[in-house]
Amino acid sequence: MNALAQLAAEEMENPLLPPIPELVIGLVAFLIVFLFLGKKLLPNINKVLDERRAAIEGGMEKAEAAQAEAQQVLEDYRAQLADARHESARLRQEAQEQGVALIAEMRLEGQRQREEIIAAGHAQIEADRKAASASLRQDVGQLAIDLAGRIVGESLQDSARQSRTIDRFLDAVEEKSVDVTKAEAKR
């Protein structure tokens, strides 16, 4: 019975409570591990965590600074782009104005040259007309003198007389042609 009593006594003990010697050894081992961790590992762990926290915060500050710098560069780029657009618009406007001025200047030069050419043409025509008129006067005068000499029967070779006769004849012919031209113009 003794064995049964002992078995019964063991069953009576609380199975959740460990024996006291195991409890003391476990508590001492826990304190040694706790103190070792608290003195040696915990400061190293805290140091690593602080370094990591500082690195993360520094990285975030650097990222914010880089983002602010990138934003500033973007704004500067946009401002330069707007300035370049304004400058190109101004240059295009100046080019158009210069083109219009150049065209107007070329037109004036063309008109001036045209007027010079027309004036030179009129002068040349007038000179040609005068030369033709003088040549014609001389030829017609010579024919008239020859004809008059044949009709009259005497020579009209005196140059002063010849000149006066030719001039009178041609003036009379011109007056008749002017009268005929004026009459036609009135119609």
Side-chain angles (χ1 to χ4, degrees):
M1 272 249 328
N2 232 344
L4 272 176
Q6 197 177 26
L7 197 57
E10 283 182 17
E11 285 182 15
M12 291 293 240
E13 285 184 28
N14 189 359
L16 294 177
L17 288 176
I20 298 287
E22 285 181 17
L23 189 60
V24 171
I25 292 174
L27 186 60
V28 170
F30 177 74
L31 286 176
I32 290 172
V33 170
F34 184 75
L35 288 176
F36 175 74
L37 288 176
K39 294 289 181 186
K40 295 287 180 181
L41 290 177
L42 190 59
N44 288 339
I45 292 172
N46 283 337
K47 181 181 170 187
V48 169
L49 289 175
D50 288 341
E51 289 174 359
R52 182 175 275 167
R53 184 180 305 117
I56 290 172
E57 288 175 356
M60 289 175 63
E61 289 174 0
K62 287 179 184 176
E64 288 174 359
Q67 186 177 7
E69 183 179 346
Q71 186 66 28
Q72 182 64 33
V73 168
L74 179 63
E75 289 173 4
D76 291 344
Y77 172 74
R78 286 181 180 164
Q80 289 175 351
L81 184 60
D83 289 344
R85 285 182 180 154
H86 290 299
E87 182 68 17
S88 68
R90 184 186 65 78
L91 290 174
R92 187 172 38 249
Q93 181 66 27
E94 281 182 14
Q96 287 176 345
E97 290 172 358
Q98 288 176 353
V100 168
L102 187 61
I103 289 171
E105 183 179 322
M106 295 307 284
R107 279 187 182 150
L108 289 175
E109 179 66 21
Q111 287 176 351
R112 184 189 62 78
Q113 288 178 354
R114 186 189 82 206
E115 294 298 325
E116 287 178 1
I117 291 170
I118 290 173
H122 285 306
Q124 182 65 36
I125 290 171
E126 184 62 27
D128 289 346
R129 188 188 67 76
K130 285 182 180 180
S133 175
S135 174
L136 186 62
R137 239 177 214 265
Q138 191 176 23
D139 290 344
V140 168
Q142 187 62 39
L143 288 173
I145 289 174
D146 289 344
L147 185 62
R150 285 184 189 166
I151 292 174
V152 172
E154 74 179 68
S155 174
L156 299 174
Q157 293 301 327
D158 181 17
S159 61
R161 190 183 306 166
Q162 187 178 18
S163 235
R164 286 192 305 266
T165 305
I166 292 171
D167 286 340
R168 277 194 309 256
F169 176 73
L170 290 177
D171 287 339
V173 169
E174 282 181 8
E175 284 179 21
K176 287 181 182 179
S177 69
V178 168
D179 290 341
V180 168
T181 305
K182 285 182 182 178
E184 288 178 1
K186 288 182 181 179
R187 289 184 194 176

